[in-house]
Amino acid sequence: MHLGIFLEQVPDGNMAWWQMLASGLGWTLATAFFAWIMAFVLGSIVGVVRTTDNHWAVRIGDAYVELFRNIPLIVQFFIWYFVVPGLVLAVKRWVVTLDPTQHQFVTAVICLGFFTSARIAEQVRSGIQSLSRGQRNAGYALGLTQTQTYRFVLLPMAYRIIIPPLTSEIMNLIKNTAVAYSIGLVELFFRTREMAEMTFRYFDAFTAATVIYVVIALTANRVMALIERRLAVPGYITGGK
Amino acid sequence: MIGDLDFEVIGRSLPYLLRGLQYTVQLTVVAALGGTFFGTLLAMARLSSFRPVSLTAAGYVNLMRSVPLLLVIFWFYFLAPVIVQSVMGWERPPQIGAERSAYITFIMFEAAYFCEIMRAGIQSISKGQVGAAFALGLNYWQAMKLVILPQAFRNMLPVLLTQTIVLFQDVSLVSLLNVTDFVGASVKIAQRDSRVVEMYAFVAVVYFILCYSLSTLVKQLQRRIAIIH
Amino acid sequence: MSCISRLFLACIACTGLAFPSYAEELTGTLKKIKETGAITVGHRESSIPFSYLDDQQRPIGYAMDLCMKIVDAVKTELKMPDLKVNLQPVTSSNRIPLLQNGTIDLECGSTTNSVQRQQQVSFGPTYFVINVTAAVKKSSKINSLADLNGKTISTTSGTTSVPLLKTYEKTQNAEIKEIYGKDHAESFLLMADDRSAAFVMDDILLAGLIANSKSPAEYKIIPESLRQEPYSMMLRKDDPQFKSLVDKTISGVMKSGEIEKIYAKWFTSSVPPKGINLNFPMTPAIREAFKNPNDKGV
């Protein structure tokens, strides 16, 4: 490996290659961050809905999860990027006013947000259902409403239980941002390929990207483990899945 | 806008699309079988009491699981031939080609995921059974082959199949290497005939129907197997 | 890692470092072809009319015709009439690594012979000369390259247009936003779909894409040039035997006048799949390239 290549200037640009990769990493993390917030909120709502007693709500929640789980991610990207603006004139009118980078970013966040939310919904549902029925009944017996039971009894435990699967969802999400390269988002994988193509240093560029992804994965893992320990309820084993 | 759509493009290019779908299915099946085979070996290596073996296997699995599949696909496609050449000391890089490269990539990549499933499967078998097998005079390989692995497979079958459905979807990423899988075929038709909306919507519907039916089947299977415990 | 990396770099240049003064012992690509009994030709899928897929998804085009001349010459040279010809689709961004890693032996498409690329690969004689320019919608009110300032344009990743645009932006102080398509068809679609105001690419490819689009009358090509570039087939570097075979064969086609027929077939007659005539007669630069075959890059 010749590390010097990373200090070399991008032809006709104002940056060195390492800065180019760093900016790609920035887009990767920003995309993953916003998509995660969206996925967490939507996934929690859908997951909770699927554990309620309302049959219709459960069915809609199930359909939501099945829809986003049974279509390949790259096809979902094409749907959001090409099909939705192609079918809905209002969306089309809006996206052509956007800066292309903004458009790609928004599309990637929405696409990954929905995709990941279905997976989180599944985790939230199984987390809540893994709690004994007695907890829910205890909540009702105390005079709590359904909302209050979820808010103060079920969800705090369920979230703790599902921290390990959520950790792998975060890591999946970060890895999945690479697919956004298919719509031209200038994230880490896009920049890696660009560097390889322009300098012909495929080995160096791909090695750098691999190292960066591994470091992200390790960091995400550590951070989540720390959160898990911080939030542990004394005397209650969490993460024993 | 809607009136502008022309779904006939699908009918016209159906044979080409079906050939793409056939490749997708083929690649999925081969990668699932190969991945299960190597994944099982990896799982046994990970559970080995000989540290260098278990650490190497763990390192491989963790590496594969922390990088995006796309990056792995590109590694294999562009660099595997030259790496093989330099390791083997051959005069020229082996000619692998996009489609064969895809087979190798997916087997190697899925092995890491199937390894984790099989590891859980092997660990789900009680220690007593292992002891019993050894007491009967079986050696390690016999105990694995005759006692542990058949049960581990059985217990893990639904999970293995679910992972295979995920794999079936992931295979679509090879379209970015210009391989004509189902997605690749539809992208080419979509761009040639400027029928992006129709083609991509069609692909999404087909995948949904296939994956949803398969996962429903797996769920039924799971219910039947579950009684055994 | 550094060891593998060095080996990797070494083997890029390894295919034929020996200089055979006598054509008795085969080296490089010819040796490979002889031993494996097959040659793999890399082709494009939407570089009309150089190298693209017809209705049966078979690669055809001007560059493919020329490459088949080389394949024939290889058959004769190696006395292998049954030589197997594999066809491998490539894109702008993977053609060079695939040539280097031995996946393809010869690339027949619309590749600019550039000095930068010559450090990685080798080129046959120039068989076409293009101008890099932009295709726009007639309704867009863009009439010159200067009008692109402040607009979003699409181009294909891995092409020479990418660095060219960046230089243009810098020297002209222009503010241009780029979207990258993975292949020309996608980049064109981005423009046709109003995602970008213009598609910056080689004039002849733009003409081919426009002619094959749903409504050719909607688009026009800006009559300006960012740069003139020679096209040629790509082969591995440091492979003198194969290179001289390629040069000999193609210069032969050019000098014998056979090129006129092949040129006319693809540029001034109707071509598949839609039977459109591109009406692109030989320019002085192309005529010059045929008269004095050369592999000079830009």
Side-chain angles (χ1 to χ4, degrees), chain B residues 16 77-79 81-83 85-86 91-95 97-98 176-178 188-189 191-196, chain C residues 7-8 11 14 31-32 35-36 40 45 55 57 88-91 94 97-98 101-103 182 185-186 189 214:
Chain B
Y16 186 62
Y77 192 34
F78 292 140
L79 293 169
V82 272
I83 292 174
Q85 180 200 25
S86 65
E91 192 180 346
R92 54 173 170 262
Q95 202 166 13
L176 294 175
L177 286 187
N178 235 20
K188 284 172 194 177
I189 300 286
Q191 294 183 348
R192 195 196 63 193
D193 296 355
S194 310
R195 289 292 173 196
V196 173
Chain C
L7 274 166
F8 165 66
C11 66
C14 83
K31 184 176 183 199
K32 176 185 171 191
E35 284 171 5
T36 57
T40 306
E45 297 183 314
D55 262 348
Q57 309 294 328
Q88 167 76 45
V90 298
T91 61
N94 67 23
L98 293 187
N101 78 15
T103 303
K182 287 179 291 299
E186 186 179 335
L189 214 61
K214 266 190 283 187

Coordinates of all heavy atoms in Angstrom, one line a residue, chain B residues 16 77-79 81-83 85-86 91-95 97-98 176-178 188-189 191-196, chain C residues 7-8 11 14 31-32 35-36 40 45 55 57 88-91 94 97-98 101-103 182 185-186 189 214:
Chain B
Y16 N -36.7 -12.2 -22.0 CA -35.4 -11.7 -21.5 C -35.5 -11.5 -20.0 O -34.5 -11.9 -19.3 CB -35.2 -10.3 -22.2 CG -33.8 -9.7 -21.9 CD1 -32.7 -10.4 -22.3 CD2 -33.7 -8.5 -21.3 CE1 -31.4 -9.8 -22.0 CE2 -32.5 -7.9 -21.0 CZ -31.4 -8.6 -21.4 OH -30.1 -8.0 -21.1
Y77 N -14.9 -8.9 -7.6 CA -15.0 -8.7 -9.1 C -13.7 -8.2 -9.7 O -13.2 -8.7 -10.6 CB -16.2 -7.8 -9.4 CG -16.6 -7.8 -10.9 CD1 -16.5 -8.9 -11.7 CD2 -17.1 -6.6 -11.4 CE1 -16.8 -8.9 -13.0 CE2 -17.5 -6.6 -12.8 CZ -17.3 -7.7 -13.5 OH -17.7 -7.7 -14.8
F78 N -13.2 -7.1 -9.0 CA -12.1 -6.4 -9.6 C -10.7 -7.0 -9.1 O -9.8 -7.1 -9.9 CB -12.1 -4.9 -9.3 CG -13.2 -4.2 -9.9 CD1 -13.9 -3.2 -9.3 CD2 -13.5 -4.5 -11.3 CE1 -15.0 -2.6 -9.9 CE2 -14.5 -3.8 -11.9 CZ -15.3 -2.9 -11.3
L79 N -10.7 -7.3 -7.8 CA -9.4 -7.6 -7.3 C -9.1 -9.1 -7.0 O -7.9 -9.5 -7.0 CB -9.2 -6.8 -6.0 CG -9.1 -5.4 -6.3 CD1 -9.2 -4.6 -5.0 CD2 -7.8 -5.0 -7.0
P81 N -9.2 -11.8 -9.0 CA -8.4 -12.4 -9.9 C -6.9 -12.1 -9.7 O -6.0 -13.0 -9.8 CB -8.8 -11.9 -11.3 CG -10.2 -11.5 -11.0 CD -10.3 -11.0 -9.6
V82 N -6.6 -10.8 -9.5 CA -5.1 -10.5 -9.3 C -4.6 -11.0 -8.0 O -3.4 -11.3 -7.9 CB -4.9 -9.0 -9.5 CG1 -4.7 -8.7 -11.0 CG2 -6.0 -8.2 -8.9
I83 N -5.4 -11.0 -7.0 CA -4.9 -11.5 -5.7 C -4.6 -13.0 -5.8 O -3.6 -13.5 -5.4 CB -5.9 -11.2 -4.6 CG1 -6.0 -9.7 -4.3 CG2 -5.5 -11.9 -3.3 CD1 -7.0 -9.3 -3.4
Q85 N -3.9 -14.6 -8.4 CA -2.7 -14.7 -9.3 C -1.4 -14.6 -8.4 O -0.5 -15.4 -8.5 CB -2.7 -13.7 -10.4 CG -1.5 -13.8 -11.3 CD -1.3 -12.5 -12.1 OE1 -1.7 -11.5 -11.7 NE2 -0.6 -12.6 -13.2
S86 N -1.4 -13.5 -7.6 CA -0.1 -13.2 -6.9 C 0.1 -14.3 -5.8 O 1.2 -14.6 -5.5 CB -0.1 -11.8 -6.4 OG -1.1 -11.7 -5.4
E91 N 1.1 -17.1 -13.9 CA 1.6 -16.2 -14.9 C 0.6 -15.1 -15.2 O 1.0 -14.0 -15.5 CB 1.9 -17.1 -16.1 CG 2.7 -16.3 -17.2 CD 2.9 -17.3 -18.4 OE1 2.6 -18.5 -18.2 OE2 3.3 -16.8 -19.4
R92 N -0.7 -15.4 -15.1 CA -1.7 -14.4 -15.4 C -2.9 -14.7 -14.5 O -3.1 -15.7 -14.0 CB -2.1 -14.5 -16.9 CG -2.5 -15.8 -17.3 CD -3.1 -15.9 -18.7 NE -3.3 -17.3 -19.1 CZ -2.4 -17.9 -19.8 NH1 -1.3 -17.3 -20.3 NH2 -2.6 -19.2 -20.1
P93 N -3.7 -13.6 -14.3 CA -4.8 -13.8 -13.4 C -5.8 -14.8 -14.0 O -6.0 -14.8 -15.2 CB -5.4 -12.4 -13.4 CG -4.7 -11.6 -14.4 CD -3.5 -12.3 -14.9
P94 N -6.5 -15.6 -13.1 CA -7.5 -16.5 -13.7 C -8.6 -15.7 -14.2 O -9.0 -14.6 -13.7 CB -7.9 -17.3 -12.4 CG -7.6 -16.4 -11.3 CD -6.4 -15.6 -11.7
Q95 N -9.2 -16.2 -15.3 CA -10.3 -15.5 -15.9 C -11.6 -15.9 -15.2 O -12.1 -17.0 -15.3 CB -10.4 -15.8 -17.3 CG -11.1 -14.7 -18.1 CD -10.9 -14.9 -19.6 OE1 -10.4 -15.9 -20.1 NE2 -11.3 -13.9 -20.4
G97 N -14.7 -13.6 -14.6 CA -15.9 -13.1 -15.3 C -17.0 -12.7 -14.3 O -17.0 -13.2 -13.1
A98 N -17.9 -11.9 -14.7 CA -18.9 -11.3 -13.8 C -19.7 -12.4 -13.2 O -20.0 -12.4 -12.0 CB -19.7 -10.3 -14.5
L176 N -25.6 -4.1 -10.4 CA -24.7 -2.9 -10.4 C -23.4 -3.3 -11.1 O -22.6 -2.4 -11.4 CB -24.5 -2.3 -9.0 CG -25.7 -1.7 -8.4 CD1 -25.5 -1.3 -7.0 CD2 -26.2 -0.5 -9.3
L177 N -23.1 -4.6 -11.2 CA -21.9 -5.0 -12.0 C -22.2 -5.3 -13.4 O -21.5 -5.9 -14.1 CB -21.4 -6.4 -11.4 CG -20.7 -6.4 -10.1 CD1 -20.2 -7.8 -9.8 CD2 -19.6 -5.4 -10.0
N178 N -23.4 -4.9 -13.8 CA -23.9 -5.1 -15.2 C -24.2 -6.6 -15.5 O -24.2 -7.0 -16.6 CB -22.8 -4.7 -16.1 CG -23.3 -3.7 -17.1 OD1 -24.3 -3.1 -16.9 ND2 -22.6 -3.5 -18.2
K188 N -31.9 -2.8 -18.0 CA -31.5 -2.6 -19.4 C -32.7 -2.3 -20.3 O -32.6 -1.4 -21.1 CB -30.8 -3.9 -19.8 CG -29.4 -3.9 -19.3 CD -28.6 -5.2 -19.5 CE -27.4 -5.3 -18.6 NZ -26.7 -6.5 -18.8
I189 N -33.8 -3.0 -20.1 CA -35.0 -2.8 -20.9 C -35.5 -1.4 -20.6 O -35.9 -0.6 -21.5 CB -36.1 -3.9 -20.6 CG1 -35.6 -5.3 -20.9 CG2 -37.3 -3.5 -21.4 CD1 -35.4 -5.6 -22.3
Q191 N -34.1 1.2 -19.6 CA -33.3 2.3 -20.2 C -33.4 2.3 -21.7 O -33.4 3.4 -22.3 CB -31.9 2.2 -19.7 CG -31.8 2.5 -18.2 CD -30.4 2.5 -17.6 OE1 -29.5 2.1 -18.3 NE2 -30.2 2.9 -16.4
R192 N -33.4 1.1 -22.3 CA -33.4 1.1 -23.7 C -34.7 1.7 -24.3 O -34.7 2.4 -25.2 CB -33.2 -0.4 -24.2 CG -32.9 -0.5 -25.6 CD -33.1 -1.9 -26.1 NE -34.5 -2.3 -26.1 CZ -34.9 -3.5 -26.2 NH1 -34.0 -4.5 -26.3 NH2 -36.2 -3.8 -26.1
D193 N -35.8 1.3 -23.6 CA -37.1 1.7 -24.1 C -37.7 2.9 -23.4 O -38.8 3.3 -23.6 CB -38.1 0.6 -24.0 CG -37.7 -0.6 -24.9 OD1 -36.7 -0.4 -25.6 OD2 -38.4 -1.6 -24.9
S194 N -36.9 3.6 -22.5 CA -37.3 4.7 -21.7 C -38.6 4.3 -21.0 O -39.6 5.1 -21.0 CB -37.5 5.9 -22.5 OG -36.4 6.2 -23.3
R195 N -38.7 3.2 -20.4 CA -39.9 2.8 -19.6 C -39.6 2.4 -18.2 O -39.8 1.4 -17.7 CB -40.6 1.6 -20.3 CG -41.2 1.9 -21.7 CD -42.4 2.8 -21.5 NE -42.9 3.2 -22.8 CZ -43.8 4.2 -22.9 NH1 -44.1 4.9 -21.8 NH2 -44.2 4.6 -24.0
V196 N -39.0 3.4 -17.5 CA -38.4 3.2 -16.2 C -39.6 2.9 -15.2 O -39.5 1.9 -14.4 CB -37.6 4.4 -15.8 CG1 -37.2 4.3 -14.3 CG2 -36.4 4.6 -16.7
Chain C
L7 N 2.7 -6.8 -5.2 CA 2.4 -7.9 -6.2 C 1.3 -7.5 -7.2 O 1.4 -7.7 -8.4 CB 2.1 -9.2 -5.5 CG 3.2 -10.0 -5.0 CD1 2.7 -11.1 -4.1 CD2 3.9 -10.6 -6.2
F8 N 0.3 -6.9 -6.6 CA -0.8 -6.5 -7.4 C -0.4 -5.4 -8.5 O -0.7 -5.6 -9.6 CB -1.9 -5.8 -6.5 CG -2.9 -5.1 -7.2 CD1 -3.8 -5.7 -8.0 CD2 -3.1 -3.7 -7.0 CE1 -4.8 -5.1 -8.7 CE2 -4.0 -3.0 -7.7 CZ -4.9 -3.7 -8.5
C11 N 1.7 -7.1 -11.1 CA 1.1 -8.0 -12.0 C 0.3 -7.3 -13.0 O -0.1 -7.8 -14.1 CB 0.3 -9.1 -11.3 SG -1.1 -8.4 -10.5
C14 N 2.5 -7.2 -15.7 CA 3.3 -8.4 -15.9 C 3.0 -9.1 -17.2 O 3.8 -10.0 -17.5 CB 3.1 -9.3 -14.7 SG 1.6 -10.3 -15.0
K31 N -0.5 -15.5 -26.1 CA -0.2 -16.8 -25.4 C -1.4 -17.2 -24.6 O -1.7 -18.4 -24.7 CB 1.0 -16.5 -24.5 CG 1.5 -17.8 -23.8 CD 2.7 -17.5 -22.9 CE 3.2 -18.8 -22.3 NZ 4.1 -18.5 -21.2
K32 N -2.0 -16.3 -23.9 CA -3.2 -16.7 -23.2 C -4.3 -17.2 -24.0 O -4.9 -18.3 -23.7 CB -3.7 -15.4 -22.4 CG -5.0 -15.6 -21.7 CD -5.5 -14.3 -21.1 CE -6.9 -14.6 -20.5 NZ -7.6 -13.3 -20.2
E35 N -3.4 -20.7 -25.2 CA -3.5 -21.7 -24.1 C -4.9 -22.0 -23.7 O -5.3 -23.1 -23.4 CB -2.6 -21.3 -22.9 CG -1.1 -21.6 -23.2 CD -0.3 -21.0 -22.1 OE1 -0.8 -20.5 -21.1 OE2 1.0 -21.0 -22.3
T36 N -5.7 -20.9 -23.7 CA -7.1 -21.1 -23.2 C -8.1 -21.4 -24.3 O -9.2 -21.8 -24.0 CB -7.6 -19.9 -22.4 OG1 -7.5 -18.8 -23.3 CG2 -6.8 -19.6 -21.2
T40 N -11.8 -13.1 -25.0 CA -12.9 -12.4 -24.4 C -13.0 -11.0 -24.8 O -12.0 -10.2 -24.6 CB -12.9 -12.5 -22.9 OG1 -12.8 -13.9 -22.5 CG2 -14.3 -12.0 -22.3
E45 N -23.2 -1.6 -23.9 CA -24.6 -1.9 -24.1 C -25.4 -0.7 -24.6 O -26.5 -1.0 -25.2 CB -25.2 -2.4 -22.8 CG -24.5 -3.6 -22.3 CD -25.1 -4.2 -21.1 OE1 -25.3 -3.4 -20.1 OE2 -25.3 -5.4 -21.0
D55 N -31.9 -6.0 -30.8 CA -33.2 -6.5 -30.3 C -33.0 -7.8 -29.6 O -33.8 -8.1 -28.7 CB -34.2 -6.6 -31.4 CG -35.1 -5.4 -31.5 OD1 -35.1 -4.7 -30.5 OD2 -35.9 -5.2 -32.4
Q57 N -30.5 -8.7 -27.9 CA -29.5 -8.4 -26.9 C -28.2 -8.9 -27.3 O -27.4 -9.4 -26.4 CB -30.0 -9.1 -25.5 CG -31.4 -8.7 -25.1 CD -31.5 -7.3 -24.8 OE1 -30.6 -6.6 -24.3 NE2 -32.7 -6.7 -25.0
Q88 N -18.3 -10.1 -23.2 CA -18.6 -9.7 -21.8 C -19.0 -8.2 -21.8 O -18.2 -7.3 -22.2 CB -17.2 -9.9 -21.0 CG -17.2 -9.2 -19.7 CD -18.0 -10.0 -18.6 OE1 -17.9 -11.2 -18.5 NE2 -18.8 -9.3 -17.9
P89 N -20.2 -7.9 -21.3 CA -20.5 -6.5 -21.3 C -19.7 -5.7 -20.2 O -19.4 -6.2 -19.1 CB -22.0 -6.5 -20.9 CG -22.3 -7.8 -20.3 CD -21.2 -8.8 -20.9
V90 N -19.3 -4.5 -20.6 CA -18.6 -3.7 -19.6 C -19.2 -2.3 -19.6 O -20.0 -1.9 -20.4 CB -17.1 -3.5 -20.0 CG1 -16.4 -4.9 -20.0 CG2 -16.9 -2.9 -21.3
T91 N -18.9 -1.5 -18.6 CA -19.3 -0.1 -18.5 C -18.1 0.8 -18.5 O -17.0 0.4 -18.4 CB -20.1 0.2 -17.2 OG1 -19.3 -0.1 -16.1 CG2 -21.3 -0.7 -17.1
N94 N -16.0 0.1 -15.3 CA -15.3 -1.1 -15.0 C -14.4 -1.6 -16.1 O -13.8 -2.6 -16.0 CB -16.3 -2.2 -14.5 CG -17.2 -2.7 -15.5 OD1 -17.0 -2.6 -16.7 ND2 -18.3 -3.2 -15.1
P97 N -10.4 -1.8 -15.1 CA -10.0 -2.9 -14.2 C -10.3 -4.3 -14.8 O -9.5 -5.2 -14.5 CB -10.8 -2.6 -12.9 CG -11.8 -1.6 -13.3 CD -11.2 -0.8 -14.4
L98 N -11.3 -4.4 -15.5 CA -11.6 -5.8 -16.1 C -10.6 -6.2 -17.1 O -10.3 -7.3 -17.3 CB -13.0 -5.8 -16.6 CG -14.2 -5.7 -15.6 CD1 -15.5 -5.9 -16.2 CD2 -13.9 -6.7 -14.5
N101 N -7.5 -7.1 -15.0 CA -7.5 -8.3 -14.2 C -7.8 -9.5 -15.1 O -8.1 -10.6 -14.6 CB -8.4 -8.2 -13.0 CG -9.9 -8.3 -13.3 OD1 -10.3 -8.7 -14.4 ND2 -10.7 -8.0 -12.4
G102 N -7.8 -9.3 -16.4 CA -7.8 -10.5 -17.3 C -9.2 -11.0 -17.6 O -9.4 -12.0 -18.3
T103 N -10.3 -10.2 -17.1 CA -11.6 -10.7 -17.4 C -11.9 -10.5 -18.9 O -12.5 -11.3 -19.5 CB -12.6 -9.9 -16.6 OG1 -12.3 -10.1 -15.2 CG2 -14.0 -10.3 -16.8
K182 N -24.9 5.6 -14.5 CA -24.0 4.4 -14.5 C -23.6 4.1 -16.0 O -22.6 3.5 -16.3 CB -24.5 3.2 -13.8 CG -24.5 3.4 -12.3 CD -25.1 2.2 -11.6 CE -26.6 2.1 -11.7 NZ -27.4 3.3 -11.2
A185 N -27.2 5.4 -21.3 CA -28.7 5.4 -21.4 C -29.3 6.0 -20.1 O -30.3 6.8 -20.2 CB -29.2 4.0 -21.5
E186 N -28.7 5.8 -19.0 CA -29.2 6.3 -17.7 C -29.0 7.8 -17.7 O -29.9 8.6 -17.3 CB -28.6 5.6 -16.5 CG -29.2 6.1 -15.2 CD -28.6 5.4 -14.0 OE1 -28.1 4.3 -14.2 OE2 -28.7 6.0 -12.9
L189 N -31.5 9.5 -19.9 CA -32.8 9.4 -19.2 C -33.0 10.5 -18.2 O -34.0 11.1 -18.1 CB -33.0 8.1 -18.6 CG -34.4 7.5 -18.6 CD1 -34.8 7.3 -20.1 CD2 -34.4 6.2 -17.9
K214 N -37.6 8.2 -27.6 CA -39.0 8.1 -27.9 C -39.4 9.3 -28.9 O -40.1 9.1 -29.8 CB -39.8 8.2 -26.7 CG -40.2 6.8 -26.2 CD -41.2 6.9 -25.0 CE -40.6 7.3 -23.7 NZ -41.5 7.3 -22.6

